[in-house]
Amino acid sequence: MRRYAPPGRAWYALRRTLPPWSWERNLDELLRFCREARIDEVIVKVDTEEFSHGQVPLDWLREYLPVLEHIRNALAEIGVTYSLNPWITLGHTDRGRDSRKAFPDMQMMVGHDGAECKACACPLCETWRTHTTQLWRLYASTRPAVMWVEDDIRTFNHLPVRYGCFCPLHLKAFSDRIGRRVTREELVEALLAPGEPHPWRARWLELQGDIMVDVVANLAWVVQETSPETRMGLMSSGPDLHCLEGRRWWEFARALQGQADHLLSRPPLGIYSENSLRDFYYGGASIRKTRRALPPGAIELTEVENYPFSTFSKSVALTAMQMALSSALGCHGVTLNLFDHLGNPMVNSAEFGRMLHEEKDYLTALASRSSPEAKFAGIGILQHERASVTKHLRPGADYGELADDGGAWAPLLEAMGFAVTWDWENAPVLALSGQTVRAFGDGEVERMLERGVLCDLQAAQALIDRGYGRYLGVKIAKRGLIHDLGPVAAEEFFDPEFGGEPQRYLSATLPSLSSDLEVGVLELAPGARALSRLVDCDRQVVAPLMTVFVNELGGRVAVLPYDLGGLWMMAGFVQPFRREQLHAVLKWLARGPLPLFVLAGGYALPTRAEEPGFSRVTVFNLSLDPWQDTRILLSANGRQCQRVEFLDESGQWVPVPAEQWRTTEDGCLCIVHPQPLTYRRPGAWCVFWKP
């Protein structure tokens, strides 16, 4: 197959719509833009957004096919790759469309609450499958390098349907599986039953997973039968949400890949409109979580999107940061959805083109040291595609609460300078939150508890429910909202061995200005030790908080009995006192230096990746304040440093003077960066180890 997005360079794939009424002038501008902005690929979007017809009429597409062929040929003449991105598969939302008029036999999506779509189809519907097969055969006839499947290939977020599909076809298929007729109301009640999951939940998610594997296998077959050289691409919505529909990632990916050598993946980065630099935590996690979920070998092009377009929506600087994040985390390139799909000229936002041209050399230098095969090192975070199957729900839970909730520690730890990883198997410490640990087998859980584990309230409860309470060193006497405990004032960090001292207080109300945070009142087992406690307005003890314990397996466990998934305001939790305590606790859990700790101003996004012969460290400053004298501390694992290189502003890897790095007594490599580090570009270092 044709070589595509070679590793070690920045690959730009522009997503662009050329509407039927303006495609000729749009194409002239597009060809100029590709040359000037150094675009490698154009992903043509079809029947897009505001001018979408809903379910695409076959006659409309037949008339538009010559336009697509003309675009493909024109791009080929200037050496730019042509790919195709139909805007819908099932349909995103109705947006006032009613495709039932054109397709009266098409079954539309039905929600768990009975809501019905008018333009978003049910994936079991044979009318939809036949129509989509015809459409995709026509799309494939234009021989695109990649055919992208949009993130509407899911059962949730098809407004007015929030969670589907509970149409008659799905209910019949499920009834056939369990051997009796089931109504929508019965099924939803069983799926959301509190406590121990109802057996139907696993069967329902299995059915949904089976249906979607069958759907994407057919899409791949149709495309590759028509155009054998075409690869398939998948836009996804993140593993946490796809749990809701029982996605079995490896099986799903293999089915969609078809006969091609690679599948393409487009993980979401969020920040469609600019708000806060803190939103970067979502994108950094999304890249790593999606990569973890997929089989090895996928080509990754992240979703850099500006909606509703122009610099009024998102700045050029923030867009460049997202591109740098993609290169730093080993992605092959970026897809760029920067301009509207209404036929308006791109010159209206010419700033983006200039930025793309100027940044490419820097991004290529960053990508040259960043491979997708590298394993990230840090505090381990769990995810599991069966988390929705095993989750215990509260009475009256919303359907969305079935989502995987195992990542709450990740942005909190990163903000305080601790690198995290979803490659958790070799992590010295695991940070457990939510109920994801319920999805793991007994042997896996016991191996976790043999090393260092940090638990929030929900994770501790899940382990206790499974019979592992004696390994935690605590019992949960009761749970409730923090202000139900009385006039709680502050958390006191009193233990000097773990970053505390008497009367060192942190507000207990800041995390819950909008709503109370749930907390557990712990009873400590013999040998357990409290490091902090809640106190009232007279400084009297209300309840212990952070505890540490060495269990009978030899593992070390710390419990902080906050439900971190319910934390409303990050700034109330990530504080200098908290960072100091957690640094000591995590080192104690790890029995030595941490994989990576960055001591700098507030809101870091640090990563460490292990490449052959060197470790790559990148640090994003997600605050507006420049950092001075940033300190990078990474475990050497018994190795000696040979040299350190830093990526400078011009995109050159330059040696770091020997006086700026040293090995500490506890086996850390400490790098001091004396120059200001701003949000504009990440700090990037390569540490080469002696053979």
Side-chain angles (χ1 to χ4, degrees):
M1 302 185 91
R2 291 167 288 186
R3 185 168 172 78
Y4 178 90
R9 55 167 291 194
W11 181 270
Y12 290 172
L14 179 70
R15 299 169 71 194
R16 184 72 173 136
T17 300
L18 292 81
W21 61 87
S22 61
W23 72 268
E24 290 178 299
R25 60 180 168 83
N26 292 149
L27 179 58
D28 289 341
E29 183 192 34
L30 177 63
L31 297 175
R32 291 194 302 273
F33 184 85
C34 287
R35 296 187 189 98
E36 294 166 1
R38 306 167 73 180
I39 301 297
D40 300 286
E41 174 184 13
V42 172
I43 303 172
V44 180
K45 299 184 73 173
V46 180
D47 203 41
T48 312
E49 295 278 3
E50 293 86 351
F51 286 102
S52 167
H53 291 85
Q55 297 295 323
V56 180
L58 279 170
D59 289 343
W60 182 94
L61 181 57
R62 289 190 183 103
E63 290 183 12
Y64 191 63
L65 276 183
V67 174
L68 291 175
E69 292 167 350
H70 192 100
I71 294 168
R72 177 200 64 206
N73 295 338
L75 291 171
E77 288 178 4
I78 63 170
V80 173
T81 299
Y82 159 77
S83 292
L84 202 56
N85 188 165
W87 188 62
I88 76 155
T89 313
L90 293 172
H92 293 276
T93 67
D94 281 355
R95 292 178 85 162
R97 277 69 171 169
D98 190 344
S99 295
R100 298 173 303 178
K101 299 173 183 177
F103 304 97
D105 296 329
M106 189 175 289
Q107 174 64 60
M108 298 300 170
M109 190 86 69
V110 176
H112 73 298
D113 54 1
E116 295 187 34
C117 286
K118 297 177 181 178
C120 300
C122 163
L124 269 179
C125 175
E126 286 301 326
T127 300
W128 172 80
R129 289 187 176 211
T130 299
H131 178 67
T132 300
T133 295
Q134 293 172 310
L135 285 174
W136 282 61
R137 188 167 281 122
L138 292 173
Y139 290 138
S141 71
T142 68
R143 303 191 308 280
V146 182
M147 271 285 287
W148 282 97
V149 180
E150 267 292 339
D151 61 348
D152 67 333
I153 196 75
R154 63 189 183 213
T155 61
F156 53 89
N157 287 354
H158 296 278
L159 294 178
V161 168
R162 293 191 300 140
Y163 306 103
C165 177
F166 293 83
C167 72
L169 297 176
H170 272 78
L171 293 176
K172 182 181 185 306
F174 185 70
S175 297
D176 290 344
R177 287 209 174 191
I178 66 168
R180 80 167 182 86
R181 183 178 177 275
V182 178
T183 66
R184 174 180 57 81
E185 292 82 0
E186 278 184 293
L187 177 55
V188 172
E189 182 180 2
L191 296 176
L192 302 183
E196 190 73 29
H198 192 287
W200 285 2
R201 192 195 296 171
R203 300 292 300 276
W204 172 251
L205 293 174
E206 178 186 57
L207 171 66
Q208 285 193 307
D210 288 346
I211 291 168
M212 286 308 199
V213 167
D214 184 58
V215 166
V216 297
N218 184 65
L219 291 177
W221 174 78
V222 169
V223 169
Q224 292 168 353
E225 181 190 46
T226 306
S227 178
E229 293 292 307
T230 297
R231 298 179 176 94
M232 303 298 291
L234 172 66
M235 172 68 198
S236 55
S237 303
D240 294 354
L241 290 176
H242 287 297
C243 271
L244 292 165
E245 59 176 358
R247 176 171 290 183
R248 302 189 296 274
W249 280 85
W250 280 43
E251 189 177 348
F252 184 94
R254 294 301 190 206
L256 182 57
Q257 182 176 331
Q259 301 304 310
D261 55 351
H262 295 285
L263 175 72
L264 276 84
S265 168
R266 187 164 78 225
L269 295 189
I271 320 183
Y272 301 113
S273 296
E274 190 164 338
N275 184 17
S276 167
L277 294 179
R278 319 292 193 261
D279 294 335
F280 269 78
Y281 293 114
Y282 169 82
S286 175
I287 291 171
R288 289 170 285 170
K289 289 159 70 172
T290 305
R291 184 180 301 167
R292 167 78 187 195
L294 287 167
I299 296 173
E300 298 175 358
L301 305 181
T302 58
E303 178 203 37
V304 176
E305 183 162 335
N306 175 356
Y307 183 83
F309 310 107
S310 89
T311 52
F312 284 97
S313 175
K314 186 158 71 177
S315 66
V316 169
L318 192 141
T319 303
M321 285 180 67
Q322 286 188 298
M323 296 165 65
L325 179 67
S326 304
S327 291
L329 295 185
C331 298
H332 296 78
V334 293
T335 66
L336 301 163
N337 198 11
L338 304 179
F339 306 103
D340 73 41
H341 301 283
L342 306 172
N344 294 317
M346 292 183 287
V347 72
N348 293 341
S349 298
E351 306 93 333
F352 289 106
R354 289 193 291 271
M355 178 273 291
L356 293 172
H357 179 92
E358 293 167 0
E359 291 293 306
K360 190 153 194 178
D361 291 339
Y362 175 84
L363 295 173
T364 292
L366 189 55
S368 70
R369 299 282 181 89
S370 308
S371 70
E373 294 81 19
K375 292 295 184 183
F376 290 97
I379 307 302
I381 306 293
L382 300 184
Q383 70 181 49
H384 202 292
E385 64 184 24
R386 287 179 55 82
S388 296
V389 174
T390 58
K391 195 170 192 181
H392 289 203
L393 297 179
R394 61 180 178 81
D398 182 75
Y399 201 100
E401 293 180 47
L402 286 171
D404 190 350
D405 58 359
W409 273 113
L412 303 174
L413 291 172
E414 288 179 322
M416 291 182 280
F418 304 100
V420 303
T421 178
W422 279 264
D423 300 321
W424 60 267
E425 287 84 353
N426 295 316
V429 178
L430 301 179
L432 310 186
S433 61
Q435 300 187 46
T436 305
V437 71
R438 293 186 190 272
F440 289 83
D442 289 339
E444 293 173 301
V445 173
E446 289 179 11
R447 286 191 291 275
M448 294 176 193
L449 292 168
E450 289 173 353
R451 43 181 159 163
V453 173
L454 172 64
C455 294
D456 83 339
L457 174 64
Q458 293 280 24
Q461 184 70 67
L463 289 168
I464 290 170
D465 289 348
R466 292 189 59 179
Y468 294 107
R470 71 181 189 275
Y471 300 118
L472 307 185
V474 296
K475 294 180 180 179
I476 301 173
K478 66 175 181 177
R479 298 172 56 165
L481 300 179
I482 194 167
H483 289 125
D484 290 343
L485 300 180
V488 174
E491 182 176 351
E492 183 182 9
F493 296 77
F494 61 84
D495 194 313
E497 291 185 38
F498 290 88
E501 60 184 48
Q503 300 181 20
R504 173 174 273 193
Y505 297 116
L506 177 64
S507 171
T509 59
L510 274 176
S512 50
L513 284 174
S514 174
S515 60
D516 274 352
L517 185 67
E518 188 177 16
V519 65
V521 177
L522 302 180
E523 292 180 358
L524 276 62
R529 173 179 174 181
L531 311 182
S532 63
R533 57 199 172 206
L534 287 174
V535 298
D536 65 15
C537 50
D538 294 314
R539 296 180 296 155
Q540 298 301 302
V541 176
V542 175
L545 274 178
M546 179 76 82
T547 63
V548 292
F549 180 69
V550 179
N551 62 40
E552 63 195 67
L553 300 174
R556 297 185 175 190
V557 178
V559 176
L560 181 62
Y562 285 137
D563 175 13
L564 295 181
L567 189 67
W568 175 72
M569 191 170 70
M570 182 187 286
F573 186 86
V574 292
Q575 293 281 326
F577 294 169
R578 181 87 61 200
R579 176 171 64 182
E580 193 173 344
Q581 183 196 61
L582 277 172
H583 189 216
V585 168
L586 291 169
K587 287 179 66 177
W588 179 81
L589 291 171
R591 296 176 171 83
L594 301 176
L596 176 62
F597 174 58
V598 177
L599 188 57
Y603 296 105
L605 175 50
T607 64
R608 174 180 177 173
E610 296 303 307
E611 302 278 4
F614 67 93
S615 300
R616 185 183 74 253
V617 172
T618 57
V619 184
F620 286 80
N621 175 359
L622 300 185
S623 74
L624 298 180
D625 296 329
W627 293 343
Q628 302 289 341
D629 295 323
T630 303
R631 294 176 62 203
I632 311 294
L633 296 164
L634 64 158
S635 57
N637 298 323
R639 296 174 293 182
Q640 290 185 312
C641 179
Q642 187 175 62
R643 71 182 190 279
V644 181
E645 294 181 0
F646 177 75
L647 184 61
D648 69 13
E649 285 284 324
S650 68
Q652 301 296 314
W653 288 97
V654 298
V656 174
E659 60 268 20
Q660 292 179 16
W661 56 270
R662 62 183 176 85
T663 301
T664 63
E665 291 182 0
D666 64 352
C668 267
L669 180 69
C670 177
I671 305 169
V672 178
H673 185 67
Q675 293 82 26
L677 191 63
T678 73
Y679 68 88
R680 180 70 178 81
R681 278 182 172 161
W685 294 263
C686 287
V687 177
F688 293 86
W689 305 102
K690 291 182 180 179

